[in-house]
Amino acid sequence: MEIDPSAYKDIVFFTGAGMSAESGVPTYRGSGGVWSQYRWQEYACQTAFEEDPQKVLAFHEVRRQAVLACKPHAGHDVIAGQEKAHPGVTVVTQNIDGMHQRAGNRRVIELHGSLWRLRCPWHGVIEDIGEKYRSYKCRDCGSWLRPDIVWFGDRLDPWVVSEATGAIRKCDLLISIGTSGVVWPAAGFPQIARENGARLLEINPEPNEMSHLYDETIRTGAGSALPELFKKR
Ligand code: OAD
């Protein structure tokens, strides 16, 4: 199968953890997944942060180091290349690893926040890129800084959701890559695109409960599927 991007006005690449798997970033579910090794109740919810902010920040710092040791792969490069070549390309991602931006994408909607931001309850969001956090505490008021990530039990930022759903509604091609389709509201995005008449394509080596929604499916990894799909473009 090949895609001719010029046949579409608005293309959304909708990505999940499987997009980064071939870069070496572990997925969340399945064997070797983050949530099979760590209890999210201890590391990825507001209650855990309030009980032991230092432990939660240290966990995220280890994840930052692991992500920085990884590099974007050929599939990320294809998506970045498509954004350069096509004015209607948007990435809607559940990933917090910043890998699309490192590959060169600029129109990236991060549904679940970012490992590269922290926020102070009083002084707002701070960008912080590097293996170590510059500080665990706000320089202005001394409050613990919280990773700017949507954890279990958190509500997504309504502005980000509205931006993402706007892009999803408008697109005429949605390519979903490496998501298990179990975390909402992201899991509902393919259905929204479908209701608006988009062509839906799934790239994922494994089928899941949402796979029936797609018009076509490619059962290989993102690193080989994307270069193959956009071979001549
Ligand atoms: P999951 O870990 O739930 O699912 C990863 C998906 O990637 C699975 O369906 C795999 O089959 C697929 N996959 C594995 N290797 C792949 C490859 N090389 N190419 C393509 N696909 C591959 O990850 P998400 O669906 O992203 O939230 O999880 C959604 C959210 O749950 C995450 O954003 C995270 C988690 O809790 C937060 O951290 C806020």
Side-chain angles (χ1 to χ4, degrees), residues 16-18 22 27-29 35 94 112 150 178-180 183 204-205 221-222:
E22 285 156 275
T27 59
Y28 291 97
R29 293 170 186 79
W35 304 141
Q94 296 167 81
H112 293 164
V150 179
T179 178
S180 56
V183 174
N204 193 322

Side-chain angles (χ1 to χ4, degrees), residues 15-23 26-30 33-35 40 44 60 63 73 93-96 111-113 149-152 154 176-184 186 202-208 218-225:
T15 63
M19 180 71 218
S20 298
E22 285 156 275
S23 290
T27 59
Y28 291 97
R29 293 170 186 79
V34 174
W35 304 141
W40 63 259
H60 285 83
R63 293 199 60 202
H73 59 65
T93 189
Q94 296 167 81
N95 298 344
I96 57 173
L111 284 171
H112 293 164
I149 291 170
V150 179
W151 284 331
F152 288 89
D154 289 345
S176 160
I177 308 150
T179 178
S180 56
V182 296
V183 174
W184 291 77
E202 179 189 37
I203 298 175
N204 193 322
E206 306 281 339
N208 57 57
I218 301 176
R219 293 264 170 259
T220 55
S224 53

Side-chain angles (χ1 to χ4, degrees), residues 73-89:
H73 59 65
H76 290 107
D77 294 343
V78 166
I79 298 178
Q82 288 306 311
E83 184 186 300
K84 282 198 190 85
H86 191 301
V89 167

